[in-house]
Amino acid sequence: FDPRHYLGTHCYGFPKTGPHRLRFLLESVKDLRETLKRRGSTLVVRRGKPEDVVRDLIIQLGSVSAVVFHEEVRVI
């Protein structure tokens, strides 16, 4: 979870994620983690700037051959 995502929008300062959307997101991530655990996998969830969190995970894991990501589309 990138804390910058929960700040106001760049145009008008409105919250990008309100309380109902945040609750839905947290419940969805929790459900996904539980589903993956039942199937013998896991889900790594972290809070922080992705550029820092991903770097730290790569260092922690030590044997990463690829990193895939998507970028949020900004409408101006």
Side-chain angles (χ1 to χ4, degrees):
F1 292 97
D2 185 345
R4 296 172 293 191
H5 185 75
Y6 303 96
L7 301 175
T9 59
H10 65 280
C11 292
Y12 301 104
F14 293 115
K16 292 173 80 174
T17 304
H20 299 292
R21 184 174 183 188
L22 179 59
R23 183 178 326 140
F24 173 77
L25 178 61
L26 293 173
E27 288 173 356
S28 298
V29 169
K30 181 181 177 184
D31 183 64
L32 176 59
R33 176 183 266 173
E34 291 170 358
T35 300
L36 289 170
K37 281 186 179 183
R38 284 194 303 271
R39 296 175 184 239
S41 189
T42 190
L43 177 66
V44 176
V45 179
R46 297 287 187 269
R47 180 182 181 276
K49 295 179 181 177
E51 57 270 25
D52 297 333
V53 171
V54 171
R55 181 197 63 228
D56 293 346
L57 282 172
I58 290 170
I59 291 168
Q60 179 184 351
L61 295 171
S63 62
V64 176
S65 60
V67 176
V68 180
F69 67 95
H70 81 278
E71 184 175 357
E72 180 180 2
V73 176
R74 289 189 170 198
V75 178
I76 297 176

